[in-house]
Amino acid sequence: MSTGFHEVRFPEDISYGCTGGPEYSTDIVTTGGGWEQRNINHFNAIHKYQAAHGVKNRQQQTALLAFFHCRHGKGYGFRYKDWADYQGATEYLGDADGEKTQFQLVKHYSDGVYDKIRTIKKPVTGTVKVFIDLVEVTEGWTVDTATGIVTFAVAPASGSVTANFDFDVPVRFDTDYAGMAIPNFETFDWTNIPIVEIRV
């Protein structure tokens, strides 16, 4: 059976207590003289999370078990709110030229010298605001919350297109096994619930 992506969000009250963040993949070769050759395997980070820390009571345990069953373990992707990084503010999408009607949502990270751009494909419904030259555009555009693409009905003639938005991370469970224990009455222990970002 083929699987895909479910446009549903992992329970927020559980993700609020999770740990995790971005992970890059770098191979390092050290020469005999101590010099390093560092090879970046993929340019964009893969975010990883551990959800076990977010389960605090039976109600959450029951909700998580149902969510796990409905995703068939690793089978289906889903949305995940990373409470440490879930908003974009005045994010530059591109310049209007009178011809372009579609703009991909992105988030910019900068340390003042170098910049990193992250493609955002899972904006949260009702949170996206679009601006041209910092003036909000309240009509004449739509956003696809499954792809993060903003589409104007008529191509804006000129100006810098920016956006504010909340977003989710597309992820899946990184296990097919729900290894739960019940050490005491009404007490549950599910010690390993790995979640990993997927490309969509």
Side-chain angles (χ1 to χ4, degrees):
M1 182 177 68
S2 62
T3 58
F5 192 90
H6 290 169
E7 292 289 343
V8 295
R9 180 187 274 179
F10 185 83
E12 289 183 54
D13 60 333
I14 299 176
S15 65
Y16 188 76
C18 295
T19 60
E23 179 181 74
Y24 286 89
S25 175
T26 309
D27 291 332
I28 300 176
V29 178
T30 305
T31 67
W35 297 96
E36 288 185 350
Q37 174 64 47
R38 293 178 295 278
N39 299 311
I40 298 174
N41 294 322
H42 49 74
F43 189 69
N44 296 308
I46 296 290
H47 290 69
K48 294 183 176 181
Y49 306 96
Q50 177 52 252
H53 308 295
V55 180
K56 305 174 185 68
N57 54 55
R58 178 169 182 156
Q59 183 178 1
Q60 290 178 326
Q61 185 76 25
T62 301
L64 181 56
L65 183 59
F67 194 89
F68 187 83
H69 275 299
C70 290
R71 306 291 87 72
H72 292 251
K74 297 179 182 178
Y76 290 88
F78 53 92
R79 289 170 169 263
Y80 178 89
K81 182 175 183 176
D82 182 344
W83 288 87
D85 186 7
Y86 67 92
Q87 292 181 311
T90 319
E91 302 294 343
Y92 172 71
L93 309 186
D95 288 329
D97 59 7
E99 297 182 0
K100 186 176 181 179
T101 59
Q102 293 189 326
F103 295 82
Q104 175 69 56
L105 291 179
V106 295
K107 180 169 182 178
H108 297 259
Y109 299 85
S110 176
D111 61 7
V113 179
Y114 297 98
D115 297 303
K116 174 69 178 178
I117 299 176
R118 178 182 181 184
T119 300
I120 302 299
K121 292 190 175 181
K122 298 297 179 184
V124 178
T125 300
T127 69
V128 180
K129 294 183 178 182
V130 175
F131 305 82
I132 296 180
D133 288 339
L134 301 181
V135 177
E136 185 175 1
V137 181
T138 58
E139 58 184 15
W141 61 270
T142 58
V143 60
D144 187 336
T145 56
T147 64
I149 295 176
V150 173
T151 301
F152 287 89
V154 177
S158 62
S160 176
V161 181
T162 56
N164 296 348
F165 50 84
D166 290 0
F167 65 94
D168 292 325
V169 183
V171 299
R172 62 166 172 80
F173 286 110
D174 201 21
T175 181
D176 277 324
Y177 173 57
M180 292 180 289
I182 308 177
N184 299 294
F185 181 70
E186 292 293 321
T187 301
F188 292 81
D189 188 7
W190 191 350
T191 58
N192 186 37
I193 313 171
I195 293 173
V196 63
E197 182 179 7
I198 57 176
R199 304 299 188 208
V200 293

